[in-house]
Structures are given as structure tokens and as C-alpha cells.
Amino acid sequence: MSSDSSEDTRAEAYAELASVGPYGVRPGHALITMVEPHPGHEYAYNRWYEDDHFIAGAMAMPWIFAGRRWVATRELRQLRYPEKSAIAQPVTAGCYITVYWLTEGRYAEHMKWTVGINKRLNRDGRVYQDRTHVFTAFQDHEATVYRDGAAGPRDFHALDHPYAGLVVEVVDAEGPERRAELLEWLRTRHLPKRLAGSPAAMVTVFRPTPLPLDRMSYVKQVEGVDTRLTLLWFLQRDPRECWEGHFTGLDEDVARSGLGRVELVAPFIPTVPGTDRYVDELR
């Protein structure tokens, strides 16, 4: 632990900060981070992330109000497509993904804290280096589409509700000028049709934002800021039980629209916090 702790935590500032700014419940922003632990470091990475980083590097920070980790076993990663992906090279890279919700309108404040805390974590030797960030970005919420209308959990419940699976879909518009049209097509036509009768209860749609210039050097700058959309499908069943028919062909649907192309469709299941379950199924 840090030897740089101080009794002066500036506690008096917290009451002042709490009295200003938005404090709603909508997930106005997300941190989505897909990571590949280096071969031979899977167990150590899993324990570091769950036992330290998930909390000290995320959940304990201001304005993150929910978070959940997901894992893709070897079997699940074999279902990914397309084979040539702009997100993951190879497309099977990225065993773990963690999603966090941030309070709407608090992105700037959170970023100031997260840059500061990550510099401190690095200085204190609390960052696990034997890993590669495959797809890590802060993203702004654009839309949520529900299968059952007003029934069931809302998007702000999604990371706490015991969903059995997650499918991450990344779509690139044909150009910056087409992204709004792509989003509208997804929101009003494609997603309602795909969700009907499916095991997915909702899809949240986000667009990436650039990382700050003083980000950590091991996290590469976000690509596709002007063209990309990230879709998170929250499933009530294990994706392996319902992959065919429900989650195959998403790339063909987008291609037929003429508005963009799918760069990744990847299924995950939730980790079991406090355990190393699934770690021996990664390779």
C-alpha cells in the first residue's frame, strides 16, 4: 500500500462539492475496458484486478456508481466475428471486459480524479503491467433500447441485475457524417427488430470520447471517435445457449443498411467475484 498517505484529506471540500452539479441516476457515460492478460499471468492479473484495481482504480472514485466484470473463455472467444477486426488483432484477444457506469454530466470531474489516482497507483506500484489494453475507452451514452418497454430493469440497473451474458458489438459508420444516421437506424429499426423475442433484455449504445493527453502511457488513444458506436447487449441467458440465430449475422444486417460495418461481436459471461472461476478456461 501507499506510504504517501496523508491525514489531510481535505474533508471540508466534500460538503461544498456535494452541493453543486448534477447527481442523477442515468448512466450518462461509461468506461468500457477490454484487456488481455499476458500468457502465464492470468491468475495474478485476475486477483490484482478484483482485489485491488476494480475498487481502488474505479469503484472508489467519484461518480462511478456501478461496475461489473465479464470474462470470455476460450470457447466463447471462438464465437467472435468478424475474423479481421479493427478492434482486436487477433479477434480472440481480450479475455476480460469491465463496464462501469458514470453519472451523467460528471465526466470531466471524474477524469480529473482518475488521471490523478492512476498516477498515484503507478507511483505506488499498484498497476499490473503484464496485460494489454485491447479496447479501452470512456464513452458517452447515446441510447438504450428495451425489449419489453417499461417492464423490467432499466439501464441504470444493468450492471447490478444478474444478467447471464453480455454481447459487445462495435460498429463503425461509413464516415463521421453518417454516424447520426447509423444511430437512428439502430435505435428505431434494427435493434427493436433484433430484440423482439430474443434473450437480450436491452441494448445500450455509446460513442467513444478521446482520452486525456495526460493518460497513462500503456493505454493507447481511442480510435474511431468520430465514427464508432459501442453496443452492449444484456442477456438473460448464457450466450452459448442462444448464439445461433440471435447473434449471428449482425454484421450482415449492418452491411445491408449501407450505413456502416461491424468490427466486433464478442460474447462474455459474468465473472464470479472473489474467485478464479473460468481462469483455467482462458487458454
Side-chain angles (χ1 to χ4, degrees):
M1 295 297 179
S2 170
S3 60
D4 189 33
S5 61
S6 172
E7 292 182 2
D8 177 16
T9 59
R10 305 184 189 182
E12 68 283 351
Y14 283 78
E16 180 182 354
L17 292 172
S19 69
V20 297
Y23 65 118
V25 300
R26 289 191 67 249
H29 322 274
L31 170 58
I32 302 171
T33 174
M34 187 165 73
V35 173
E36 177 74 11
H38 295 173
H41 293 265
E42 295 85 357
Y43 282 93
Y45 167 78
N46 190 51
R47 291 274 45 87
W48 164 76
Y49 200 95
E50 283 201 348
D51 296 347
D52 190 3
H53 199 62
F54 181 83
I55 300 166
M59 293 301 296
M61 294 191 199
W63 306 115
I64 282 186
F65 67 87
R68 196 168 190 188
R69 291 186 77 213
W70 310 79
V71 60
T73 62
R74 178 177 59 254
E75 180 184 10
L76 283 163
R77 296 200 308 280
Q78 293 304 315
L79 298 175
R80 293 182 181 181
Y81 65 91
E83 183 178 355
K84 294 182 178 180
S85 167
I87 305 300
Q89 300 91 34
V91 72
T92 52
C95 295
Y96 289 98
I97 195 165
T98 310
V99 180
Y100 302 97
W101 288 164
L102 279 68
T103 302
E104 184 177 29
R106 291 295 194 170
Y107 175 75
E109 293 96 323
H110 173 78
M111 288 306 296
K112 288 181 181 296
W113 188 285
T114 194
V115 169
I117 202 69
N118 275 285
K119 288 181 177 179
R120 182 180 180 185
L121 290 169
N122 269 276
R123 187 177 70 243
D124 293 347
R126 288 173 60 182
V127 174
Y128 198 85
Q129 300 295 342
D130 290 301
R131 59 178 174 143
T132 299
H133 281 267
V134 177
F135 179 61
T136 292
F138 284 89
Q139 311 212 18
D140 288 341
H141 180 256
E142 286 285 0
T144 300
V145 182
Y146 297 100
R147 182 192 60 200
D148 303 323
R154 303 291 86 191
D155 50 15
F156 48 85
H157 301 126
L159 301 182
D160 297 309
H161 186 80
Y163 285 113
L166 176 75
V167 173
V168 179
E169 179 183 4
V170 181
V171 185
D172 277 340
E174 287 301 331
E177 71 285 353
R178 304 298 299 276
R179 185 166 64 180
E181 188 179 357
L182 172 63
L183 174 64
E184 183 66 9
W185 174 78
L186 288 168
R187 187 180 65 82
T188 62
R189 298 177 59 185
H190 174 66
L191 293 178
K193 180 179 178 181
R194 276 282 187 166
L195 281 170
S198 84
M202 73 176 82
V203 181
T204 59
V205 185
F206 292 85
R207 59 175 174 83
T209 60
L211 287 171
L213 296 178
D214 54 353
R215 69 190 185 280
M216 296 299 99
S217 60
Y218 51 80
V219 181
K220 65 180 181 180
Q221 187 54 272
V222 177
E223 299 174 350
V225 168
D226 296 327
T227 58
R228 189 156 289 168
L229 294 171
T230 304
L231 285 64
L232 304 177
W233 301 68
F234 290 91
L235 279 58
Q236 294 171 318
R237 293 170 58 192
D238 187 313
R240 290 167 291 194
E241 300 174 359
C242 53
W243 191 251
E244 293 295 328
H246 289 296
F247 298 103
T248 54
L250 292 172
D251 53 345
E252 297 169 359
D253 289 354
V254 173
R256 279 194 294 269
S257 76
L259 299 172
R261 62 191 179 279
V262 168
E263 293 291 0
L264 181 69
V265 179
F268 294 83
I269 54 176
T271 61
V272 181
T275 76
D276 290 320
R277 190 173 177 184
Y278 305 119
V279 176
D280 60 354
E281 299 178 40
L282 297 181
R283 307 302 181 194

